Amino acid sequence: MFKYLLAREEDIPAGSAAIFFGFSSIIWFVVGTALGSFNAAKLAFPDFVTGIEMLSFGHMRQVHVLAVILGWISMAFAMAMMYITPALGNTKLWSEKLGIWNCFIWNIGLSVGLCGLWFGITSGREYSDMPFVIDVVIIGGLLIPLCLNVIMTIKTRRTQGIYTTNWFFGAATFMVIIVFAVGNSPEFFQLTGLTEAYLTWWFAHNVLGLWITPVAAAISYYIVPKVTGNPLYSHRIGHLHFWSVVVFYSTPAAHHIMSSPLPEWLKSFASVEGVLILVPAIAFVSNLLLTMTGKWNMFIENIEIKFTITGVLLAIPLNMQGGFQQTRAINWYIHGTGWIVAHAHLALLGFSTFLEAAAVYYGLQTLLRRKLYSLALANFHFWMLLIGFATYWISMTIAGLIQGAGKIYEVPYIDVVIAEHPYMIARWVGGTMVFLGNCVWMFNMWKTIRVGTVIPDGRLPHELAYER
Amino acid sequence: MAFREYKIGARMFGLAFGSSMFITLYMAAVDISSVSVSQIGLHRQLGFGRAGGFSYEDPFLRGWAKPTQVILAVDPKTGAAIDPVTAYVYEKDVPFPNGIRHPRILGDGPRELSEGRGRIGEADDAVGAVFLTHEVEVNGELVPYIENATATRGWIPAETLAKVPDNKRLQVGKGKIMFVREGCWWCHTLLPEQTQDWQYFGAPPMLGDFNGESPTAFGSDRKAPDLTHVGSRNSSREWMMIHFFNPRLVQPHSIMPRYDYLWGDKDASGNTIDYDGWRSAYNEYAAGKSIVPPDVPVPHKDSEARALIDFVLNLK
């Protein structure tokens, strides 16, 4: 990577930026899930590692969250954009060198920011925990170069139209800049009180709604038609998905703090808009599942489709929960409980991670021109992720329902803690399975570079047989 | 190839995204910023100081440059006895909270009174200031305001602090930093819920209770009791001390981490704390080999534990 930082643009092989982003994202995924497993162990066994400030739960929790969001998910997105955008425009990436620098600054900036959080240097705002100096680096060094590269690649395309995936990529890279700039404005301008609290959750909502969800969906709009060979079921439903994300998903931020003294009109508005999230969700899921018509055997036989369709299917419970849990009637019961933790992991570890994993599996094979080293290891990774995630999700959902009951029936809090204990252990077991699965993935990808079968020119990775 | 066939689409995108931002940012901000501060809001921001997270004056979240909240029983200027009053002492170079720096965020009524009667415009952070809060009836409504006692009564910050014994000082500003840095708010919320927390965790906050405070650290994931009114439920300093050092001493089923490292090297009497000795004695107790647990050291007055306990006891 370092030798390309100062190389001339034409000397950098096409796809280098995507490859570096891909491997970075896998490493951050391993780091992030290791932290998650460690934190979960502390919730199950509070004296697990004790009396050391740097290893206490309060110093580690936010490092896990941001390592996964900005390291794994967002770098996997950048990787997908760097190879899918040019492929769909029948062109090269606008600037491979900018992509390399982007990846370099991303890794450095994220490491510095996470170390700071680990030491306790935080803004004290959930999801926008990074202090404003790091926020400036994130906006200027990570997001703006990425947006520039994606938009310019779309602009210099050699095709007539713009495919669905690229609408989402172009719009999301632009919107995430606005979301970061506005969401962190309380720190830049010393905004205080409810304004600060509202903008904190405005950020947390929109970074999911306008960045993670649409980009993850956009990846599946590419992978499914590309690998199955079926055309996208409906371009029109894709339109509906795109526009309803922009209109409906960007408005319900206030539903995250329904119990705060925000203006009531804002909470009611957010709640109604929150239910409308079902519009893009149903459009997305139905479009992708109908695209699979006649190729459902690939859901079993092909690892990329297996990951992608699992992610798409997980979007169904995700959006059913997301649409209704924020209405006042249900929010009353489950707000602030483990149910929400389970829901957040359903969005990030369930729905989106499976889609990104497919993009990284497929992209690295295509770009390296190497067939995946081992199908067995990839299947092992898939099942470790799915079973680990399901264990986590089910146990935390149950724990959340217990907490909700304890909350409304005014049970002494310690009884709730005692009742939750078995589910905390199950959560730790599930999280650890995800971590171990990712270690296997990293090994599999490393072997793919070294000894994977070379893919001949003009062939796609899934057209070749596995050797192991 | 240009975006020419996407001109309508790009404009529609701007319109859709723009209207969404107009409703959720502009309309919401205008409405929220029209709120007047309550007396609780004044108490919180004056006690906590300018920022409870990362800031220029305290980049490593050590609790540098924070105000001290004191209970005054004598007039610091004349030395005469007065009815005990809560004062917020900002020493030299401690930045003022946002309501002093930008009085507009106090709301119209409190701003006029604080600037006119309270003379907060004369506060100078190169000198420091002592603030008091009051509530007066204006047109049938109670309006809170801030008094800059350095301007109105000639109370000098350093002299004021010298008149207050240590047990009447609360290091609330530093304690809030500890609360944020140690991640207390990952499990303890500071936001009782409007619909069901009245009996158990007390009244939810009102509209003006947060003006000028940053961050509010509401928390989102309640793995532990809400703390908004914890000082009213449990005002025992000893219980807090034991609980922070090792929560399992007072609540065997607690999953809270131990915060013994906030005690630092020395206890209140200046003796070095023997952590290894304490832990092995505790392990014997936990294993049932001894009947009484080891004594918890009393935190030094400059320790981070002391500040955190002050902050928690002040949440009423």
Side-chain angles (χ1 to χ4, degrees):
Chain A
M1 177 177 181
F2 301 108
K3 72 176 177 187
Y4 292 135
L5 286 174
L6 299 173
R8 283 179 306 172
E9 173 73 24
E10 55 270 29
D11 294 340
I12 305 175
S16 302
I19 292 170
F20 291 130
F21 265 115
F23 276 100
S24 305
S25 73
I26 298 176
I27 291 166
W28 280 111
F29 197 15
V30 171
V31 171
T33 47
L35 289 165
S37 166
F38 183 78
N39 292 348
K42 301 202 120 199
L43 290 174
F45 312 105
D47 284 335
F48 168 51
V49 175
T50 194
I52 302 165
E53 177 165 8
M54 294 298 285
L55 298 178
S56 72
F57 181 81
H59 283 252
M60 304 279 282
R61 192 243 196 219
Q62 62 275 47
V63 186
H64 158 66
V65 171
L66 290 182
V68 172
I69 294 179
L70 292 174
W72 156 237
I73 294 177
S74 297
M75 286 182 100
F77 282 171
M79 185 268 185
M81 288 171 184
M82 303 245 161
Y83 82 88
I84 295 177
T85 311
L88 288 172
N90 196 15
T91 181
K92 288 195 301 183
L93 187 65
W94 180 62
S95 169
E96 204 66 54
K97 193 169 176 179
L98 182 65
I100 301 262
W101 271 98
N102 198 352
C103 181
F104 179 70
I105 296 173
W106 202 307
N107 279 308
I108 301 284
L110 188 58
S111 307
V112 171
L114 290 181
C115 285
L117 283 186
W118 193 22
F119 281 94
I121 302 173
T122 169
S123 68
R125 304 168 59 234
E126 191 168 0
Y127 291 108
S128 37
D129 312 67
M130 297 280 193
F132 59 84
V133 251
I134 303 289
D135 291 331
V136 172
V137 176
I138 292 177
I139 296 168
L142 276 53
L143 302 176
I144 291 180
L146 179 65
C147 178
L148 189 66
N149 227 345
V150 169
I151 300 264
M152 289 310 287
T153 306
I154 297 175
K155 201 160 191 293
T156 54
R157 74 191 182 282
R158 294 188 296 173
T159 54
Q160 177 65 38
I162 303 176
Y163 179 64
T164 319
T165 297
N166 274 352
W167 312 335
F168 279 104
F169 282 173
T173 48
F174 167 73
M175 290 190 291
V176 75
I177 296 171
I178 310 274
V179 168
F180 256 86
V182 174
N184 287 296
S185 59
E187 289 159 67
F188 300 133
F189 304 116
Q190 276 290 312
L191 306 181
T192 58
L194 281 177
T195 315
E196 181 258 7
Y198 175 60
L199 282 172
T200 300
W201 287 102
W202 186 91
F203 173 84
H205 179 85
N206 285 332
V207 82
L208 277 149
L210 302 179
W211 174 242
I212 294 175
T213 314
V215 179
I219 288 172
S220 60
Y221 275 115
Y222 173 76
I223 297 284
V224 174
K226 182 78 181 174
V227 177
T228 61
N230 282 352
L232 182 66
Y233 175 73
S234 165
H235 207 61
R236 290 247 161 145
I237 298 179
H239 269 285
L240 176 66
H241 177 200
F242 178 83
W243 289 106
S244 53
V245 161
V246 174
V247 176
F248 298 143
Y249 224 139
S250 57
T251 44
H255 71 208
H256 292 260
I257 37 177
M258 293 290 270
S259 50
S260 73
L262 280 180
E264 289 298 317
W265 71 264
L266 186 60
K267 289 197 261 181
S268 298
F269 174 76
S271 194
V272 172
E273 292 280 309
V275 179
L276 290 173
I277 284 176
L278 287 169
V279 175
I282 293 168
F284 161 64
V285 173
S286 53
N287 208 359
L288 264 294
L289 295 186
L290 288 165
T291 304
M292 285 293 289
T293 309
K295 296 288 172 65
W296 278 97
N297 60 318
M298 294 187 96
F299 182 38
I300 309 297
E301 292 158 8
N302 180 287
I303 191 72
E304 292 85 11
I305 291 293
K306 191 186 273 185
F307 269 102
T308 309
I309 294 301
T310 307
V312 172
L313 290 172
L314 286 172
I316 299 171
L318 170 69
N319 290 290
M320 287 296 164
Q321 284 193 340
F324 293 112
Q325 71 187 14
Q326 45 79 33
T327 58
R328 288 177 196 248
I330 301 177
N331 198 260
W332 168 73
Y333 198 89
I334 49 103
H335 180 255
T337 69
W339 172 290
I340 305 295
V341 183
H343 175 75
H345 283 79
L346 176 58
L348 299 183
L349 176 57
F351 159 71
S352 104
T353 284
F354 280 84
L355 298 176
E356 288 129 30
V360 176
Y361 267 112
Y362 186 77
L364 285 180
Q365 293 179 70
T366 317
L367 296 164
L368 294 163
R369 308 303 299 160
R370 296 269 192 179
K371 180 73 179 171
L372 189 62
Y373 170 69
S374 163
L375 177 64
L377 289 181
N379 271 319
F380 180 75
H381 176 222
F382 174 82
W383 287 109
M384 285 293 268
L385 274 191
L386 189 60
I387 298 172
F389 156 71
T391 310
Y392 187 104
W393 183 52
I394 293 168
S395 63
M396 285 314 291
T397 300
I398 298 173
L401 292 172
I402 294 172
Q403 277 177 290
K407 184 168 74 169
I408 62 167
Y409 296 117
E410 287 153 17
V411 174
Y413 206 90
I414 194 64
D415 291 343
V416 176
V417 173
I418 295 167
E420 278 182 316
H421 182 62
Y423 305 100
M424 291 294 159
I425 297 174
R427 155 199 234 185
W428 171 62
V429 171
T432 308
M433 285 178 73
V434 172
F435 164 64
L436 294 175
N438 287 336
C439 295
V440 171
W441 187 24
M442 194 157 72
F443 170 77
N444 199 6
M445 276 303 167
W446 181 249
K447 292 298 270 187
T448 303
I449 316 179
R450 295 284 148 182
V451 294
T453 315
V454 175
I455 300 171
D457 280 349
R459 307 306 298 270
L460 293 169
H462 58 273
E463 293 168 353
L464 267 67
Y466 285 95
E467 295 192 347
R468 291 169 198 86
Chain B
M1 198 174 290
F3 277 107
R4 62 176 184 275
E5 63 269 50
Y6 288 94
K7 266 192 183 148
I8 297 174
R11 282 173 195 173
M12 284 301 291
F13 174 80
L15 184 69
F17 190 58
S19 359
S20 153
M21 296 300 102
F22 180 81
I23 296 171
T24 59
L25 289 175
Y26 180 75
M27 286 172 62
V30 166
D31 199 350
I32 296 172
S33 64
S34 68
V35 171
S36 276
V37 71
S38 65
Q39 180 133 29
I40 294 172
L42 291 183
H43 170 69
R44 292 174 76 98
Q45 64 166 299
L46 288 170
F48 298 152
R50 189 176 77 94
F54 174 85
S55 63
Y56 291 122
E57 62 272 9
D58 187 17
F60 304 111
L61 280 82
R62 297 283 139 193
W64 297 335
K66 295 293 166 210
T68 309
Q69 184 180 319
V70 300
I71 298 170
L72 272 179
V74 292
D75 186 316
K77 195 172 180 203
T78 62
I82 54 173
D83 285 340
V85 57
T86 299
Y88 310 87
V89 184
Y90 284 71
E91 289 177 274
K92 186 167 153 334
D93 294 331
V94 175
F96 294 137
N98 292 284
I100 306 287
R101 294 151 57 92
H102 310 288
R104 197 170 63 86
I105 64 174
L106 298 176
D108 290 340
R111 181 182 58 78
E112 279 167 26
L113 284 173
S114 303
E115 287 182 333
R117 224 185 278 188
R119 292 164 67 182
I120 58 168
E122 295 168 36
D124 177 5
D125 39 6
V127 182
V130 180
F131 296 109
L132 304 170
T133 62
H134 303 281
E135 211 166 21
V136 292
E137 200 175 314
V138 180
N139 301 330
E141 272 184 54
L142 284 176
V143 180
Y145 72 95
I146 305 172
E147 178 188 344
N148 174 11
T150 307
T152 56
R153 311 183 189 200
W155 293 359
I156 307 299
E159 290 174 11
T160 309
L161 272 187
K163 291 275 193 308
V164 184
D166 186 55
N167 64 0
K168 298 288 181 200
R169 292 184 195 186
L170 291 175
Q171 300 168 22
V172 177
K174 184 179 174 187
K176 167 109 187 237
I177 289 283
M178 299 307 139
F179 188 84
V180 168
R181 188 191 75 192
E182 294 304 325
C184 306
W185 54 292
W186 293 126
C187 303
H188 294 278
T189 50
L190 286 181
L191 185 69
E193 303 204 357
Q194 287 183 342
T195 40
Q196 66 263 38
D197 278 346
W198 294 83
Q199 287 92 338
Y200 206 86
F201 294 129
M206 304 302 275
L207 209 51
D209 289 356
F210 303 104
N211 288 31
E213 183 187 350
S214 174
T216 42
F218 285 155
S220 63
D221 179 9
R222 194 191 276 177
K223 297 189 271 295
D226 185 274
L227 293 185
T228 310
H229 304 293
V230 66
S232 302
R233 293 202 296 275
N234 184 348
S235 58
S236 165
R237 188 170 282 276
E238 286 69 30
W239 190 92
M240 291 297 169
M241 184 183 88
I242 298 170
H243 186 251
F244 275 121
F245 200 80
N246 185 339
R248 259 74 62 199
L249 282 175
V250 288
Q251 179 46 268
H253 297 289
S254 170
I255 59 166
M256 184 168 130
R258 301 182 195 181
Y259 287 97
D260 46 5
Y261 54 82
L262 295 180
W263 263 246
D265 298 330
K266 307 270 184 190
D267 68 5
S269 359
N271 301 322
T272 305
I273 300 174
D274 175 16
Y275 286 103
D276 292 338
W278 196 94
R279 280 179 198 145
S280 48
Y282 170 77
N283 289 343
E284 295 223 325
Y285 165 73
K289 289 179 193 156
S290 66
I291 296 171
V292 281
D295 283 340
V296 170
V298 177
H300 190 266
K301 70 179 170 57
D302 295 328
S303 67
E304 296 177 336
R306 157 68 190 272
L308 184 54
I309 292 171
D310 283 353
F311 171 80
V312 171
L313 288 175
N314 191 48
L315 291 170
K316 286 185 175 157

